[in-house]
Amino acid sequence: MRAVPALQNPPPAFVRFFLRARGPCSNTFVVNLPVQIGIGWYNPLVGIAWQTRKVNHMQIQASRLNLQLENPFKLSYGATTFRENVRVTISDGTFTGSGEAAVVPYYGETPDRILRYLTDPALADAIGEDPLLLDDMLNRLPPGESSAARAAVDIALHDLWGQHLGQPLYRLWGLNPARIPTSSFTVAMADSESHYRTHLRAARAYGLIKLKLGSGDWRTDWHMVEIAREEISAPLCVDANGGWTVEDTCAIMPRLAEIGVLFVEQPVARDDWDGWRALPAALPAGHPPLIADESVQGVESVLPLAGFADGINIKLAKCGGIRAARQMIILARALGLKIL
Amino acid sequence: MRAVPALQNPPPAFVRFFLRARGPCSNTFVVNLPVQIGIGWYNPLVGIAWQTRKVNHMQIQASRLNLQLENPFKLSYGATTFRENVRVTISDGTFTGSGEAAVVPYYGETPDRILRYLTDPALADAIGEDPLLLDDMLNRLPPGESSAARAAVDIALHDLWGQHLGQPLYRLWGLNPARIPTSSFTVAMADSESHYRTHLRAARAYGLIKLKLGSGDWRTDWHMVEIAREEISAPLCVDANGGWTVEDTCAIMPRLAEIGVLFVEQPVARDDWDGWRALPAALPAGHPPLIADESVQGVESVLPLAGFADGINIKLAKCGGIRAARQMIILARALGLKIL
């Protein structure tokens, strides 16, 4: 129904009226009557997507999306109790794609900066008129300073494109949805041990738990891991959010290895390149893999970590969207890096 | 019409009969009557792709494709007058995907080796039953020793997958077909200057000409370029097919730069890594870009050339197919390499 016929000229007005008047036809009784115009046949059932390509400008709408967190989210950068995300929809009159910008304060993102990007008329000009030319649209996006804002647009354009092709993205990538790996449930730090134990018990239903560490003292961090090991039987991974030095990492790592922690995320600070370079030689062999998170942003940030980190954490709001994320996956695999 | 509904169970026999009996309906008068079965509605117009996923085994057919060349193709490895390629089709009973294996003798490929791969029952087992799970099918392909054979299967499976989704591949990649770059027309070496001039004149209709060099003497090669420059006004690029030493390359390169040759392909021999490493320092600044061809095979061969070659020549028969080629493009761009 959404195939794109290779017809170059628009059909006459009465055919366009017929297409508009007919409305959605799936699962209803419809007489599919093709119409001969000029030298070709126009089949209304396959003409819808093609008709929608004649829009002049996409309609972009942005709005704040305030989220109250169920529990305060405490990590090495401090505690937060809410998120001020931004939603965007991009419509061409037939389909509407949705995207969202995750506002992570420690990346310098603010809702206002994101809204400025999304409401700039230059964005609509850049996107253009043809929702099927996904690559062109993404190539033309203004760079801007907010990768979260670009990611929101990238997500909405992928959504719009997929709707025109009548397929979910996993189909358009030839992927098997049954192979989606289990994600982890994150348990943040807490103000007291009893609160921490309460949060851990609430997480018992999940099959993989990520502990936020980086309290400022690696002994306190290790104590949290010990408590978690008491409360939870599921596999554990940990994320220091850059809260350790190389020495901290070397001190805690043998303990983490001994209890079988699956991986350790962002041990040293985001810009601590000396730390990343020192870690492979400083750590004992067979330590849990080191995954870079804050130290990895877009495609260009993957190569410098090869040989130091064992893997990278890819997030759409960091790298600017789905296309960049897929490029980073291919690049990371070629470099022998694991992907989170 | 080829959307894949999220229905898990096959429809009863009378619906299957109705689907089979109806035949192709595009551009014909069709009453689209949905049928209620169990708790869901089955719309025959969107049920075709889903029905085809119930095949048990793909049918793989391979055949020789002998091609007589219009002119002998003479390059540094010798002259050939024919090609013995292999065609493959993969059918699931509804759609048939086509692929072809290019048999390039200097990569050790033979039609027999390719046919052995394509007719091995292990191949059909590996491909499995679901033509929509492209990535799974490609992951399961037997590695084999012939990348041309794997490429033929990869191409046929992409073709089959695209037919099920009702879209050409460029649509499924979100690309703009108007951006396809101009390819070059290749003029091989000839047995005499008069033959060479005849071939060059026959190539005057093309907008970009690639000259095969590597005669064994760089002065002879330069003479061929001078003749080509006399006969042809279109931009030139050259391909030594590994026929030069570092010294040859340094001797001819300033001349090629002066007449504006766009790029130089595979100057040194395929395995001459010392040569590749020496070239950047040995050549004058601003020389035409060096593109590695024979020295590049699959995804794993891109990284070692970064910093030495300026670009890579990607061919499906070398890298094993379309998926690997797309991965190489992303990898090469991240490494700052040009792509041919």
Side-chain angles (χ1 to χ4, degrees), chain A residues 227-288:
Chain A
I227 294 170
R229 192 65 303 168
E230 285 171 24
E231 297 288 350
I232 285 177
S233 59
L236 298 176
C237 50
V238 305
D239 183 356
N241 282 114
W244 296 337
T245 61
V246 172
E247 291 69 33
D248 294 338
T249 312
C250 290
I252 198 171
M253 194 64 95
R255 294 168 170 83
L256 298 175
E258 202 181 312
I259 64 159
V261 160
L262 291 183
F263 58 82
V264 174
E265 215 171 322
Q266 193 68 33
V268 295
R270 180 177 172 175
D271 299 321
D272 184 4
W273 297 103
D274 288 341
W276 277 114
R277 276 188 284 270
L279 281 171
L283 288 171
H287 63 80

Side-chain angles (χ1 to χ4, degrees), chain A residues 1 27 30 32 43 45 53 132 134-136 161 165 167 171-172 174-176 179 303 330-331 335, chain B residues 1 27 30 32 43 45 53 132 134-136 161 165 171-172 174-176 179 303 330-331 335:
Chain A
M1 191 170 85
N27 291 343
V30 167
N32 175 14
N43 184 329
L45 269 187
R53 296 178 58 196
L132 291 172
L134 179 64
D135 209 54
D136 278 3
W161 173 72
L165 294 177
Q167 298 289 341
R171 279 271 175 249
L172 297 170
L175 298 179
N176 184 349
R179 295 196 190 284
L303 257 177
I330 288 167
L331 187 55
L335 294 166
Chain B
M1 192 170 85
N27 292 343
V30 168
N32 176 13
N43 184 329
L45 269 187
R53 296 178 58 195
L132 290 172
L134 179 63
D135 209 55
D136 278 3
W161 173 72
L165 294 177
R171 279 272 175 248
L172 296 170
L175 298 179
N176 184 349
R179 295 195 190 285
L303 257 177
I330 287 167
L331 187 55
L335 294 166

Side-chain angles (χ1 to χ4, degrees), chain A residues 45-104:
Chain A
L45 269 187
V46 296
I48 294 171
W50 159 66
Q51 188 205 15
T52 64
R53 296 178 58 196
K54 297 293 156 194
V55 296
N56 274 326
H57 240 58
M58 307 278 187
Q59 296 298 315
I60 303 173
Q61 295 200 307
S63 57
R64 291 169 190 270
L65 179 68
N66 293 329
L67 302 166
Q68 186 65 40
L69 302 185
E70 211 168 308
N71 297 305
F73 195 66
K74 185 178 177 187
L75 35 71
S76 68
Y77 304 107
T80 49
T81 56
F82 59 91
R83 281 278 182 278
E84 293 182 295
N85 285 5
V86 176
R87 274 202 64 193
V88 65
T89 60
I90 303 179
S91 174
D92 58 17
T94 302
F95 295 112
T96 300
S98 292
E100 184 178 337
V103 178
V104 179

Side-chain angles (χ1 to χ4, degrees), chain B residues 132-188:
Chain B
L132 290 172
L133 300 183
L134 179 63
D135 209 55
D136 278 3
M137 292 192 291
L138 297 176
N139 286 341
R140 286 190 306 250
L141 290 188
E145 49 183 0
S146 165
S147 54
R150 257 185 299 118
V153 175
D154 171 290
I155 295 164
L157 290 176
H158 273 86
D159 187 16
L160 183 65
W161 173 72
Q163 289 181 57
H164 273 281
L165 294 177
Q167 299 289 341
L169 288 181
Y170 73 84
R171 279 272 175 248
L172 296 170
W173 297 335
L175 298 179
N176 184 349
R179 295 195 190 285
I180 293 177
T182 307
S183 187
S184 61
F185 181 85
T186 296
V187 177

